[in-house]
Amino acid sequence: MDSLLPLAQKVGEKLKARKETIGISESSAGGLVSAALLAVPGASAYFMGGAVVYTRPAGDAFLAVPREKRAGVRSSSEPWALLAAEHVRERLKTTWGLAETGAAGPTGNSYGDPSGHTCVAVVGPKGSIARAFAAEALKLMDEQLS
């Protein structure tokens, strides 16, 4: 967590200065990205909410991605991360949506992804981009705010 706090501070300061907001969807990170952003004083100015979407039922409840949009898109993939980021942004009506999905371990997931496999995505006014893991999620956010 200590290594994430400086990145979260940078992201939080930029979001506050721009009067922009963010919504988060996490899976294998288990709320770590949200926790880092919420550790920044004044987070209520930009953090509109987040969910740990660890299972399909959680995704159905919190993201409510229509069946036709998720057809052919599997969890723990870049396309799912992008879809989750789009939906958390839409549902919370935020400037930015950030999503993470993956396999926490210790044995990987049912799709055959090894433990530690994670994809992240950021969707916002500058478009969308996807990469891999929790620190990368904050780096992506910082890049998009630059």
Side-chain angles (χ1 to χ4, degrees), residues 8-114:
Q9 181 77 35
K10 285 174 57 176
V11 167
E13 287 172 1
K14 288 178 182 180
L15 287 168
K16 281 193 285 189
R18 296 171 182 212
K19 298 183 182 347
E20 294 178 343
T21 56
I22 191 168
I24 309 287
S25 171
E26 296 181 71
S27 175
S28 58
L32 188 58
V33 175
S34 294
L37 288 170
L38 287 167
V40 177
S44 61
Y46 59 86
F47 189 91
M48 296 297 106
V52 177
V53 182
Y54 205 69
T55 63
R56 175 62 60 120
D60 292 344
F62 297 122
L63 292 177
V65 176
R67 189 177 307 259
E68 63 274 6
K69 282 194 172 183
R70 68 177 191 232
V73 179
R74 74 170 183 86
S75 183
S76 300
S77 68
E78 288 182 24
W80 176 253
L82 285 168
L83 194 55
E86 288 168 2
H87 274 268
V88 76
R89 179 183 184 219
E90 180 181 298
R91 290 186 56 85
L92 293 175
K93 299 186 182 352
T94 57
T95 313
W96 300 93
L98 187 151
E100 173 277 329
T101 180
T107 60
N109 62 24
S110 61
Y111 302 108
D113 298 315

